[in-house]
Amino acid sequence: MTQEVVVISIGGSILIPDQNDSVYIGKLAEMLKKASEKVRVAVVCGGGKIARYYTVTGRELGGTEYQLDMLGIGTTRLNAGLLALALGDRSNPDIPTDVKTAAERSKDGFITVMGGTEPGHTTDAVATMLAKELGGGRVINATAVDAVYSDDPRKNPDAVKYSKLTIKELGNLVYKDHGAGKSSVFDPLGVEIAEKEKIDIQMVDGRNLEELEKAILGLPFDGTYISSQ
Ligand code: UTP
């Protein structure tokens, strides 16, 4: 039986917050290896703090949006390299630079890992493109916030937590314009692709490996379910 495809978009803020990162990435890799026996897992890594550092510093130096995006992409691939290293022979040691190559390498029991592809969007969008290339499936957004909220819960204590949303409702919550290093709850292009390709998105706290594992395996989890239908 063919396995269900699950593409995980994991933020750099989850992979490298500089809080026992090797311990976390090691445990994440073990969990992914186990989960990949039941579902087909692919992972797209974000840039996090180092992406922010490079885009801010590059902007101060007068870089164009294209140049800043290219710097950001470089950091996502570095982070992807770290996770691939932790996965050992269950993943690709060299990081694919486009979704077509990543999809070609994807197979049951193997965890394809990649970062960004080209300027103009973020790795959330890459995750939806990879899901499309793999013929559909779900996208799990493993982020620093445990769900989608009406506002940033770290800044606004009255922010409402959504457990379910439609893709249209998510679309109303995201920024419409891409800007290098600019962060949104989910990439607007990713929302557009998910809607068109009928790809469901699930938001979960990426540092909570128990909840992340449940989401990957299709079990009930604490987070936000975004239905594309
Ligand atoms: P991220 O995907 O980490 O973006 O890529 P982000 O919005 O900062 O991530 P999170 O979700 O909040 O953690 C970092 C930067 O790299 C460039 C963009 O400038 C992005 O802001 N990038 C990334 C691209 O231009 N293309 C890609 O395919 C991926």
Side-chain angles (χ1 to χ4, degrees):
M1 206 175 82
T2 333
Q3 290 180 336
E4 183 200 5
V5 171
V6 180
V7 180
I8 305 159
S9 172
I10 188 154
S13 53
I14 298 302
L15 283 170
I16 50 149
D18 200 7
Q19 290 162 16
N20 293 321
D21 299 346
S22 59
V23 174
Y24 167 77
I25 295 173
K27 284 186 184 161
L28 170 70
E30 285 316 305
M31 184 271 278
L32 292 176
K33 284 189 212 170
K34 209 167 96 208
S36 71
E37 281 153 27
K38 298 197 174 126
V39 293
R40 171 95 67 97
V41 181
V43 187
V44 184
C45 300
K49 281 206 255 223
I50 29 162
R52 216 80 65 216
Y53 173 81
Y54 275 89
T55 45
V56 168
T57 309
R59 188 167 273 127
E60 285 167 4
L61 289 166
T64 61
E65 287 301 307
Y66 183 94
Q67 289 173 315
L68 304 179
D69 277 350
M70 288 306 292
L71 288 176
I73 291 169
T75 66
T76 64
R77 290 180 183 158
L78 269 180
N79 288 342
L82 213 46
L83 178 60
L85 181 154
L87 287 162
D89 61 5
R90 296 283 294 276
S91 186
N92 43 288
D94 54 328
I95 304 304
T97 56
D98 61 90
V99 291
K100 195 166 175 289
T101 310
E104 277 165 12
R105 290 191 191 169
S106 171
K107 56 183 182 216
D108 290 353
F110 185 83
I111 302 142
T112 308
V113 179
M114 71 182 297
T117 52
E118 73 241 355
H121 49 72
T122 71
T123 46
D124 290 344
V126 176
T128 58
M129 291 173 198
L130 180 55
K132 178 184 172 193
E133 195 68 34
L134 287 166
R138 287 183 285 133
V139 167
I140 294 175
N141 192 19
T143 66
V145 182
D146 63 348
V148 182
Y149 288 79
S150 56
D151 197 1
D152 188 339
R154 290 167 295 190
K155 293 181 193 147
N156 179 358
D158 297 325
V160 179
K161 180 173 171 175
Y162 300 120
S163 56
K164 273 193 186 130
L165 285 174
T166 63
I167 194 84
K168 283 216 181 337
E169 288 167 330
L170 178 69
N172 292 332
L173 291 170
V174 300
Y175 289 123
K176 294 293 171 226
D177 303 318
H178 171 76
K182 187 169 149 187
S183 203
S184 176
V185 60
F186 201 80
D187 184 291
L189 176 63
V191 175
E192 213 179 293
I193 297 170
E195 182 169 9
K196 189 154 168 263
E197 302 299 327
K198 309 223 176 318
I199 295 165
D200 290 347
I201 302 170
Q202 300 171 334
M203 302 270 187
V204 61
D205 176 355
R207 279 256 158 179
N208 187 335
L209 286 174
E210 231 173 89
E211 292 305 314
L212 178 58
E213 182 175 19
K214 286 190 222 162
I216 295 172
L217 295 176
L219 302 169
F221 68 96
D222 183 22
T224 306
Y225 292 74
I226 299 134
S227 97
S228 59
Q229 313 281 342

